[in-house]
Amino acid sequence: IALTDIILIKMALTEMLHFSSIPVKVTLNEYIELSKLFSTPKSKMFINGLLDKLSGELLDAKKIRKKGRGLI
């Protein structure tokens, strides 16, 4: 795994868990775009799949709590 991918995944997970005003879909889209710009050609697919799976698991476990207009 590219170091850039690891950093992007950690940043995305931090944003999902600790920034309650940012929707999960926005976080996913932002970090996929960042991977296109700053990482390897295949990173987009890898980060997309991994973050999608992790966000689903975190939402099911109720570890992601979003509040605010349009987030609940």
Side-chain angles (χ1 to χ4, degrees):
I1 301 173
L3 179 59
T4 308
D5 292 351
I6 293 169
I7 293 168
L8 290 172
I9 291 165
K10 287 181 179 182
M11 288 171 57
L13 289 173
T14 300
E15 190 172 300
M16 280 189 246
L17 292 169
H18 300 290
F19 291 81
S20 61
S21 63
I22 302 172
V24 173
K25 288 185 179 186
V26 171
T27 300
L28 291 174
N29 289 336
E30 286 176 352
Y31 285 93
I32 291 166
E33 289 299 317
L34 287 172
S35 72
K36 289 179 190 176
L37 294 172
F38 297 109
S39 200
T40 66
K42 292 186 179 183
S43 291
K44 173 184 85 162
M45 294 179 293
F46 173 70
I47 289 178
N48 183 29
L50 186 61
L51 288 179
D52 187 48
K53 178 75 173 165
L54 289 173
S55 67
E57 290 179 7
L58 290 170
L59 284 168
D60 290 344
K62 301 201 187 304
K63 292 189 178 192
I64 296 178
R65 290 180 216 96
K66 299 293 180 176
K67 58 185 173 188
R69 187 174 171 181
L71 299 173
I72 299 173

